[in-house]
Amino acid sequence: MLNTVGLGSLSGMMGGLFSMQGPPVVYYYLSTQETKDAYMAQTQCFFLLGNLWMTLLRANEGIITAQVGQNYLIAIAGCLSGMWIGARVYDKLNKDLLLKAIYIFLAFSGVSMIIGR
């Protein structure tokens, strides 16, 4: 329970401060889910609910404009392409290989955030 509250709180703070709430939750779900499908379901639900909430907050603040909507429509093509490719790759991965891929991606993402800022 303490790990859940701690990592959830850290995720919330990172999301609020840096718009990067994922890494603590990803590590948590990696250690608590026994199958890759359970892990994927947990993370997808987390990001769906989190992003929906952040979108509602941004809409309430007036940050979502017509230009943002137009860019969103354009970005859908990239998202759908990524989902299609990801589904094919995911089917070929076992849990151990998925874990390695996630750790490599998190490390790369962290380094690129530090260097890019």
Side-chain angles (χ1 to χ4, degrees):
M1 178 69 169
L2 187 59
N3 285 341
T4 303
V5 172
L7 288 171
S9 298
L10 179 60
S11 174
M13 287 188 295
M14 287 178 64
L17 294 171
F18 310 111
S19 294
M20 196 171 176
Q21 74 273 18
V25 174
V26 167
Y27 284 121
Y28 176 72
Y29 289 147
L30 284 173
S31 67
T32 61
Q33 302 305 310
E34 296 199 13
T35 66
K36 72 176 190 170
D37 291 333
Y39 164 78
M40 189 60 69
Q42 285 289 126
T43 55
Q44 292 296 323
C45 184
F46 171 80
F47 287 117
L48 171 70
L49 295 175
N51 289 331
L52 180 61
W53 179 249
M54 292 305 296
T55 300
L56 292 172
L57 290 175
R58 289 178 177 127
N60 187 51
E61 294 293 321
I63 297 172
I64 298 179
T65 64
Q67 182 64 43
V68 171
Q70 289 173 349
N71 292 338
Y72 174 79
L73 293 174
I74 294 168
I76 287 175
C79 290
L80 292 174
S81 299
M83 288 170 48
W84 183 80
I85 292 167
R88 269 115 195 104
V89 171
Y90 176 79
D91 288 340
K92 295 178 182 1
L93 298 177
N94 61 34
K95 187 176 181 189
D96 291 333
L97 192 54
L98 179 64
L99 291 175
K100 289 177 186 174
I102 291 168
Y103 286 135
I104 289 168
F105 180 77
L106 285 173
F108 176 77
S109 178
V111 168
S112 67
M113 288 292 288
I114 291 169
I115 291 173
R117 302 225 176 225

